[in-house]
Amino acid sequence: MPSSLLLQGPRGVGKQRLALWLAQRLLCTDSNPDIAVLGSGCGKCTACRYVAELTHPDLHWIFPRPRLKDSDPDLEQVRDDYAEATAERAAEHGLYAAPSGSEGIYVATVRSLVLRAAMTPAMGKRKVFIVGDADRMVPQEGADMAANAFLKLLEEPPADTTIILTSSEAGALLPTIRSRVVVVRVPLVRDDAVRAFVENPVVRKALDSKSKATVSERVRSAAGAPGRLLTGDTDAKATVNARRIVDAATSARPSLVHSTGLAQGSAGARGTFADTLEALVDLLGERVRDALHKKDVAAAESAANAVDAVLKAQTHADGNVSPQLITARMIRELSTILK
Ligand SMILES: [Zn+2]
């Protein structure tokens, strides 16, 4: 396992949850070699229990927070703020909504992270830092020292330190950060797994307090990213659009191609279109994995070519070409590749 990692994937897919499982595995004190196969920790040792309760002193979970009232908070204020926020997430069984637009990871937080990384572990042999929504790190005037120290930390973490960043906005992360981490793409979750998730009594209770939807409706609106059920639905729309494009490409019905192209909206909706293309990459990536799982090399290859076609469309979308035009062209191309 690399010591600096970036988990990248759609919002609500469970990247920070996965990071917590990895942290549990890393901090678990049960040396039974079987655990290596299972992935997460033993779940029984003291370390595992502390991670599950989010109280392990060597697990540092950082995520966007409202800016503190004090414009230059000291490390203790930052620590107290995160202790409180983490306790809140623990109390909600880890079922939290995406951060609001005004929340960020401010320089005082980065400073405290860098300092803690230099300390020896409090309880075990390692310490793990999870930085959720790492693209929300806020560059600030006079924060160069903290920023540089963080980059240096990513590049060469102490031997007993693992840093796991997560991001759902591929383009928003600073290239200086990206180039220092190993990127792992986290795919959408299969519908049967989403179903198991929404049927979990704890989850069900949390969702019932928000809406009266049925299990099937929830599985559908999660569209592979169960965290969306706790937040808004913009990403779900992107995935629905992406599925439409794949359906149009594989159905070979020109009328469908036409209406899907038009449904992408005009240049004004560029942001949404970029999301759709991102979702499309995820969806087709899923096809590659499925095909490989079934040992169908030919299908895997054509799905991989389809991913390439979408990546090419992405570069056009960055230019001044209309989304309708790109979509129509892409569907034609995908239909040749995927048939
Ligand atoms: Zn354990």
Side-chain angles (χ1 to χ4, degrees), residues 55-77:
T55 52
H56 198 297
D58 298 318
L59 169 66
H60 306 277
W61 189 13
I62 284 154
F63 40 84
R65 293 285 299 149
R67 189 197 279 272
L68 291 172
K69 281 193 186 72
D70 190 337
S71 63
D72 188 21
D74 60 33
L75 298 179
E76 206 168 322
Q77 282 171 290

Side-chain angles (χ1 to χ4, degrees), residues 106-276:
Y106 292 96
V107 65
T109 307
V110 175
R111 210 174 280 146
S112 112
L113 187 160
V114 169
L115 268 180
R116 275 154 182 260
M119 295 176 187
T120 50
M123 191 178 134
K125 293 196 178 92
R126 304 194 58 78
K127 46 199 192 301
V128 181
F129 294 84
I130 298 173
V131 183
D133 291 304
D135 46 89
R136 298 285 278 274
M137 286 198 202
V138 183
Q140 262 171 280
E141 282 295 313
D144 299 355
M145 275 198 10
N148 287 338
F150 180 65
L151 292 179
K152 194 168 169 355
L153 175 65
L154 281 183
E155 197 158 64
E156 277 176 72
D160 61 3
T161 302
T162 305
I163 305 163
I164 308 171
L165 311 182
T166 80
S167 174
S168 46
E169 320 221 342
L173 204 62
L174 293 171
T176 45
I177 292 182
R178 250 191 116 72
S179 64
R180 286 171 169 83
V181 292
V182 174
V183 182
V184 176
R185 206 157 173 121
V186 182
L188 290 166
V189 179
R190 284 165 191 274
D191 280 353
D192 54 344
V194 175
R195 180 171 288 270
F197 174 78
V198 299
E199 279 176 341
N200 177 297
V202 174
V203 176
R204 186 167 224 167
K205 202 171 154 208
L207 295 179
D208 282 348
S209 70
K210 290 175 189 293
S211 79
K212 293 271 159 283
T214 65
V215 167
S216 301
E217 282 165 352
R218 280 173 183 158
V219 172
R220 209 165 338 125
S221 61
R228 284 171 188 159
L229 299 172
L230 303 156
T231 317
D233 64 348
T234 44
D235 279 13
K237 276 190 196 126
T239 305
V240 169
N241 274 340
R243 283 198 177 160
R244 265 204 197 147
I245 291 175
V246 173
D247 288 347
T250 46
S251 76
R253 273 169 50 201
S255 60
L256 197 54
V257 173
H258 186 66
S259 62
T260 311
L262 290 178
Q264 296 312 314
S266 57
R270 210 165 282 284
T272 347
F273 185 55
D275 291 343
T276 300

Side-chain angles (χ1 to χ4, degrees), residues 24 28-30 41-45 47-48:
Q24 188 176 45
C28 176
T29 52
D30 188 332
C42 74
K44 295 192 187 83
C45 70
C48 277

